[in-house]
Amino acid sequence: MPQTITARLSAAVFALSFGVAAVGAWTSYRTASSALRERVQAQLDADASEETQRASEWLARQRALVELEAAELTTRLDSTLARTDSVPLRLTLASVLETEEVQLILVPGGRVAHSTDRAQVGRYAVDEEFYQFARDSTYTQKIYLSATSGRPRLTIAAPVRRAGSTVALLAAHLDLTRMEAAGGHQANARLPTDAYFVNRFAAFVSAQRFGREGVRRGVHSLAIDSALAGGRGAGLYTDYAGRAVLGAWRWIPELELALVVETPQEAALAPARLLLSQTLIIGLFATVLLALGVTTIARRFTSPVLKVADAASKVAAGNFGVRTPVESGDEVGRLASAFNIMTERLETLYGRLESQVDATQRALVAAQTNRALLQDVVNNSSTLVLVVDLNDTVLLANDRVATVSGVPANAAPGQRLTDVLGASARTLSPLIERSRREHSVVEQEVMLDATSHAGGWQVVAFPLLRENGVPYATGLIGTDLTERARAEAERRARDASVQQVQKLESLGVMAGGIAHDFNNILGAIIGNTELARESLNRPDDVSVSLDRIAAASRRAAELTRQMLAYAGRASLRREVVDARDVIADIIPIVRASQSKKATLVADEMPEPLWVDLDPAQLSQVLLNLLTNAAEAIRDQPGTVRLHVGRGAPSTLHGGESCTHGWLQITVEDTGAGIVESVRARMFDPFFTTKASGRGLGLSAVRGIVKSLDGVLELTRTGPDGTRFDIYLRRAPSPDYDVLPLATTAANVVTGTVLIVDDEAPIREVAARVARRMGLQVVEAEDGARGVAQFRTHAHDVSVVLLDLTMPGMGGAEVLAELRSTHPQLPVIIVSGYDRDDALAEIGEDAATRFLAKPFDATTLRRYISDGLQERPIAR
């Protein structure tokens, strides 16, 4: 069984007691070494302090010189800038400025205008830190790597001003060799020392070391790492090259550099070793054998312990991969084995801890990033956003909170809701409590006292739940209804303005189109009137011309009624009509107004073509398409063909059906066709290729066809002509009742009719019709005259023909006067407006009926005859 180390050492001490002298010598050596180490460390620390002081003073001195040089340069700035780039920058203080290079940099622009190094002239320094910060005052850019040379650089930049404004920068790149020399480190022949600077990137800044082969850019040691961390101290350690040294270190904030002063441990402790040698030599003869024995025993038995201690030091320094050899089975061996097991576990635990710390840091950064993103999003929202926990403490708020309470968004988290919103918190508390109680979204309009104004807010409160469904907070989103109402009012105002412009534009186009259509109608009337005069001796020709004049007049009346309907003063009427009658009225008008080069051909239509529509709208569509077709032929001979038959639109969907089938109306011409640019826009509102004010355009045509439940198709267009097809739903044939024959001139009646109308032609026609019926006629040109005439002939008047719209006393006032004495007197109201619109001013009156202008003689006779016979009046 191996002996314990205690027993072996006791036996050795007992056997070698005479080695006390050697032990004393060794103790003296250790004491001397410790004292010497402390003295050397104190000396190195003092050297480091002196070098730091001198380096700081040197930097301050250079800064003052640069400021003086910049001030002096201000007085000769213009002459300096006037020199060519090839002339080096001349410095007044060049003899005392310890620089590598001095540059004159223009502001703004950042261009190097002059430099002591002509190779740098023309470069730009806008990206340099000193350029950004030295415009207002002198700025020292601490040690950095030059973008051009890659070497460490220390720069002092001072503004050069003129008239109170900075126009240039004087940038002095200091000579680091001079800085080291200014540090004043003195070589010690007895104790060799080394001093060097290291920047914050653990790279040598010392001019003697930087860039030298074999010297690394990134260096680490106990002294370097401690100094870079901002500490200072002195001690025994291994330097960046792995050598045992004694050193002192500190951080110089003015330069942002670490200063390290070192001496080899071997040289530092040489006096102690010398003392040990002398002591051992003196007692050599007496204790040589004992010293040798003690030394041998000590080394043999302490070596494993020292190895464990060394390994423990490395573990303490963070090296968990170190292992110590197990050389024996005694206590030391078991200690080494236990130490190895401990380091293995520590290494494993440290690896896990490092992974957890890294994961925690990443999660923290992600959380901070997400919170910042969320805050940016809610800050850019126009609504009020608040999140409070279950104790009504604000967790999140956006900038909108400041408009309500005056509390900035970044100051709200952590405060109570009542402290943030004040009186408004009492208004919101019931919503929050209700949302928490019902676990649901609560929405309500409330009044909040904002700092800028008090107004209505639409507030939504909703619970925020964890993954397990447990609520942890309540969210609030509020919308300022005052701003919404203002925005809505502004939008309506803009829409009204746009609609007004569109209405004016529409009216302009419509007015031109109506004028165009009326010109066609007037052309037909004037032409047939002249033909009738020329054919007075041919009654048949006169009759044909008069029929065509009557048809054109009916077309003008229908067009007028359409105008009233568009203006909201009349309603469109739909009835079952035979399309052949509408076409028969349109054909003469088109032929009378079209170019003589165009031949209008209307195919035969042998059977009735019943459709349910407003005849005026169909007339408008056909007149527009036929006129377009005739104008497309231009000055070349051509043909416009109108064909009516059966057919179905190509765009008909499978689900659509038509009970009585479709009526197809085809208008085609032999013109030059529609070009692509026009075809792309021909159905746009207000688009036309005609002169200003002509026609209502294809947009209006398609709108009318669509309102009739029909379809308009451009079937073909090209060099050989254009074809449009209109598809209308056919209607069943109507059942007509046998109507009584209208009263004609042969049916003579008696009585007196009072005609009140401000239009002389209307009075004249009405009077002629009445006289041919055998009636007496009393005329009045306005309302007041009509009342006076009625009072004069009240006993004779049998029926009154009264215009509703007259200057002065209107028709409604005249009727009121008549009804005050004769409530049952038959009165025929005539007006150019719609029936309902015209009679709205009168009210219920059983003895009154309405006759729309324009009217023909037959209709007027029937109305007068009905009034005289006192037939029931249908309103």
Side-chain angles (χ1 to χ4, degrees):
M1 181 177 180
Q3 295 180 343
T4 63
I5 188 172
T6 304
R8 283 182 289 167
L9 287 177
S10 297
V13 170
F14 180 78
L16 300 174
S17 58
F18 59 88
V20 172
V23 174
W26 178 255
T27 302
S28 299
Y29 167 73
R30 300 290 293 183
T31 303
S33 297
S34 177
L36 188 59
R37 184 167 59 249
E38 291 178 359
R39 190 182 70 178
V40 172
Q41 289 176 356
Q43 180 61 44
L44 293 176
D45 186 72
D47 292 345
S49 297
E50 292 180 5
E51 290 197 33
T52 300
Q53 179 66 25
R54 286 194 290 268
S56 299
E57 292 175 353
W58 177 84
L59 178 63
R61 186 166 56 253
Q62 295 302 313
R63 179 186 177 102
L65 292 174
V66 170
E67 291 177 341
L68 288 174
E69 185 66 38
E72 194 280 333
L73 186 61
T74 302
T75 61
R76 52 186 179 87
L77 181 61
D78 293 335
S79 61
T80 301
L81 294 178
R83 296 178 182 175
T84 62
D85 295 345
S86 60
V87 178
L89 179 64
R90 182 175 60 83
L91 301 174
T92 304
L93 304 176
S95 60
V96 291
L97 274 173
E98 297 178 349
T99 61
E100 291 180 346
E101 180 190 359
V102 180
Q103 298 175 343
L104 182 62
I105 303 170
L106 299 180
V107 176
R111 181 177 177 274
V112 178
H114 289 280
S115 173
T116 55
D117 182 1
R118 286 180 292 177
Q120 302 299 320
V121 175
R123 294 182 182 272
Y124 287 87
V126 292
D127 293 330
E128 297 291 353
E129 180 180 322
F130 65 82
Y131 179 81
Q132 303 297 329
F133 294 95
R135 299 186 184 184
D136 298 324
S137 62
T138 304
Y139 179 77
T140 301
Q141 183 171 353
K142 299 170 184 179
I143 297 296
Y144 66 100
L145 295 180
S146 171
T148 55
S149 66
R151 294 180 59 82
R153 173 173 282 181
L154 177 61
T155 301
I156 298 176
V160 179
R161 294 186 175 88
R162 181 167 57 189
S165 298
T166 300
V167 297
L169 297 179
L170 183 66
H173 304 307
L174 303 183
D175 188 347
L176 297 182
T177 304
R178 299 289 187 89
M179 182 182 71
E180 288 184 319
H185 178 68
Q186 303 295 328
N188 191 328
R190 186 178 61 83
L191 185 64
T193 58
D194 186 20
Y196 54 88
F197 292 102
V198 179
N199 65 12
R200 60 180 178 275
F201 302 109
F204 282 119
V205 176
S206 172
Q208 296 178 354
R209 282 179 172 79
F210 183 81
R212 193 176 70 188
E213 184 177 358
V215 178
R216 301 190 304 275
R217 290 289 183 93
V219 291
H220 294 278
S221 69
L222 174 65
I224 293 174
D225 295 341
S226 177
L228 292 180
R232 60 178 294 176
L236 177 64
Y237 57 93
T238 302
D239 69 358
Y240 65 91
R243 298 169 297 190
V245 295
L246 273 171
W249 61 87
R250 65 189 57 229
W251 176 252
I252 306 176
E254 294 86 355
L255 300 175
E256 286 193 358
L257 292 177
L259 172 63
V260 181
V261 181
E262 297 174 337
T263 183
Q265 181 181 348
E266 182 180 0
L269 301 181
R273 287 196 301 274
L274 179 60
L275 175 62
L276 176 60
S277 300
Q278 291 174 349
T279 303
L280 291 176
I281 291 173
I282 293 172
L284 177 62
F285 297 100
T287 59
V288 62
L289 294 176
L290 181 60
L292 289 175
V294 172
T295 302
T296 301
I297 293 171
R299 287 180 179 178
R300 179 179 179 183
F301 291 103
T302 59
S303 176
V305 177
L306 291 176
K307 291 179 180 178
V308 173
D310 183 61
S313 299
K314 294 180 179 179
V315 170
N319 183 7
F320 294 100
V322 66
R323 300 292 184 271
T324 182
V326 180
E327 298 177 349
S328 64
D330 56 12
E331 291 89 341
V332 177
R334 290 195 299 272
L335 176 62
S337 178
F339 177 81
N340 291 338
I341 294 173
M342 179 189 69
T343 54
E344 289 177 1
R345 292 180 179 176
L346 285 175
E347 185 176 20
T348 303
L349 293 174
Y350 183 79
R352 293 177 182 175
L353 179 61
E354 193 174 40
S355 300
Q356 292 176 358
V357 170
D358 184 60
T360 302
Q361 288 179 341
R362 288 197 301 270
L364 180 61
V365 171
Q368 292 173 342
T369 302
N370 291 336
R371 181 176 180 85
L373 176 61
L374 174 62
Q375 190 68 50
D376 289 342
V377 171
V378 299
N379 282 345
N380 285 278
S381 172
S382 60
T383 59
L384 170 68
V385 178
L386 269 175
V387 176
V388 296
D389 64 10
L390 301 182
N391 296 320
D392 288 344
T393 300
V394 178
L395 301 178
L396 176 68
N398 69 341
D399 288 342
R400 191 67 170 170
V401 171
T403 64
V404 178
S405 64
V407 177
N410 57 358
Q415 297 191 47
R416 300 282 296 175
L417 182 63
T418 53
D419 296 334
V420 175
L421 295 184
S424 298
R426 292 191 293 272
T427 305
L428 298 177
S429 292
L431 275 73
I432 297 174
E433 293 300 327
R434 180 182 169 191
S435 176
R436 291 172 180 169
R437 184 175 60 255
E438 299 177 359
H439 299 285
S440 63
V441 178
V442 178
E443 184 173 358
Q444 183 177 334
E445 289 189 15
V446 299
M447 294 294 294
L448 297 182
D449 295 328
T451 55
S452 57
H453 67 281
W457 289 72
Q458 185 75 20
V459 179
V460 179
F462 50 91
L464 299 177
L465 309 177
R466 301 190 188 278
E467 294 181 357
N468 57 3
V470 176
Y472 67 91
T474 303
L476 290 171
I477 296 178
T479 303
D480 190 347
L481 299 180
T482 304
E483 293 186 2
R484 178 187 292 179
R486 182 168 57 253
E488 181 66 20
E490 293 176 355
R491 184 191 64 78
R492 287 197 297 267
R494 289 195 301 271
D495 291 347
S497 177
V498 172
Q499 291 174 0
Q500 181 66 17
V501 172
Q502 292 177 341
K503 180 181 290 185
L504 292 176
E505 186 175 359
S506 174
L507 290 175
V509 175
M510 183 177 180
I514 291 172
H516 176 264
D517 292 346
F518 262 115
N519 285 334
N520 289 337
I521 294 171
L522 292 175
I525 292 174
I526 293 171
N528 282 290
T529 300
E530 292 179 354
L531 289 175
R533 285 179 176 176
E534 295 173 357
S535 306
L536 292 178
N537 56 350
R538 296 190 297 275
D540 292 342
D541 292 346
V542 172
S543 178
V544 170
S545 297
L546 292 177
D547 289 342
R548 292 178 177 175
I549 292 172
S553 300
R554 287 193 295 273
R555 169 62 189 147
E558 291 293 342
L559 185 60
T560 303
R561 187 171 59 79
Q562 278 188 287
M563 292 166 57
L564 291 174
Y566 182 83
R569 305 299 299 272
S571 57
L572 297 173
R573 56 181 176 85
R574 294 185 64 156
E575 57 183 312
V576 178
V577 299
D578 188 348
R580 295 180 302 173
D581 295 338
V582 179
I583 294 172
D585 288 343
I586 288 298
I587 293 297
I589 297 176
V590 175
R591 283 179 174 160
S593 60
Q594 73 180 17
S595 169
K596 301 306 179 182
K597 296 285 186 179
T599 301
L600 176 61
V601 178
D603 293 343
E604 185 178 354
M605 295 168 279
E607 59 183 33
L609 306 172
W610 300 110
V611 286
D612 184 9
L613 45 69
D614 186 333
Q617 288 186 309
L618 181 58
S619 298
Q620 178 65 44
V621 169
L622 293 177
L623 182 62
N624 194 303
L625 290 180
L626 290 171
T627 302
N628 285 350
E631 291 181 353
I633 296 176
R634 299 180 182 176
D635 295 333
Q636 301 296 326
T639 301
V640 176
R641 181 175 298 278
L642 175 65
H643 174 78
V644 183
R646 294 179 179 271
S650 60
T651 57
L652 188 64
H653 297 292
E656 294 187 33
S657 62
C658 186
T659 305
H660 303 286
W662 292 85
L663 177 68
Q664 178 181 359
I665 303 176
T666 300
V667 177
E668 58 182 333
D669 61 70
T670 59
I674 304 175
V675 297
E676 179 64 29
S677 59
V678 175
R679 189 160 63 247
R681 299 185 56 201
M682 63 183 181
F683 290 116
D684 289 351
F686 314 119
F687 176 75
T688 179
T689 58
K690 300 178 181 180
S692 177
R694 295 188 58 197
L696 292 181
L698 290 176
S699 175
V701 171
R702 184 168 67 174
I704 294 174
V705 174
K706 187 175 180 180
S707 69
L708 299 176
D709 297 328
V711 178
L712 174 64
E713 291 184 354
L714 173 61
T715 306
R716 170 178 55 82
T717 185
D720 56 345
T722 301
R723 171 178 168 177
F724 282 93
D725 286 315
I726 303 171
Y727 298 93
L728 301 174
R729 299 177 186 270
R730 298 175 67 96
S733 60
D735 296 329
Y736 289 104
D737 295 332
V738 178
L739 300 176
L741 292 175
T743 303
T744 64
N747 303 112
V748 179
V749 294
T750 60
T752 301
V753 58
L754 171 61
I755 302 174
V756 185
D757 198 311
D758 61 325
E759 293 290 339
I762 298 296
R763 293 199 310 274
E764 180 184 355
V765 170
R768 292 176 63 186
V769 170
R771 289 189 179 99
R772 289 190 180 187
M773 293 176 64
L775 298 172
Q776 298 296 320
V777 177
V778 177
E779 298 184 41
E781 65 276 10
D782 54 42
R785 180 65 177 170
V787 171
Q789 290 282 48
F790 177 76
R791 290 172 178 170
T792 303
H793 305 281
H795 296 288
D796 300 327
V797 174
S798 305
V799 63
V800 178
L801 188 67
L802 176 62
D803 184 20
L804 195 62
T805 305
M806 294 181 294
M809 179 180 285
E813 297 175 86
V814 174
L815 180 62
E817 289 287 338
L818 300 182
R819 288 288 178 253
S820 64
T821 56
H822 293 73
Q824 299 299 323
L825 176 68
V827 178
I828 302 172
I829 298 294
V830 294
S831 176
Y833 291 115
D834 181 66
R835 176 181 180 277
D836 294 337
D837 191 27
L839 297 183
E841 302 180 31
I842 298 174
E844 295 293 334
D845 191 336
T848 301
R849 68 182 305 176
F850 177 77
L851 176 61
K853 293 181 180 179
F855 48 79
D856 55 26
T858 301
T859 303
L860 180 59
R861 289 191 193 102
R862 180 162 56 85
Y863 270 66
I864 294 175
S865 179
D866 290 345
L868 292 174
Q869 295 177 16
E870 296 182 350
R871 296 178 181 177
I873 302 301
R875 289 181 61 87

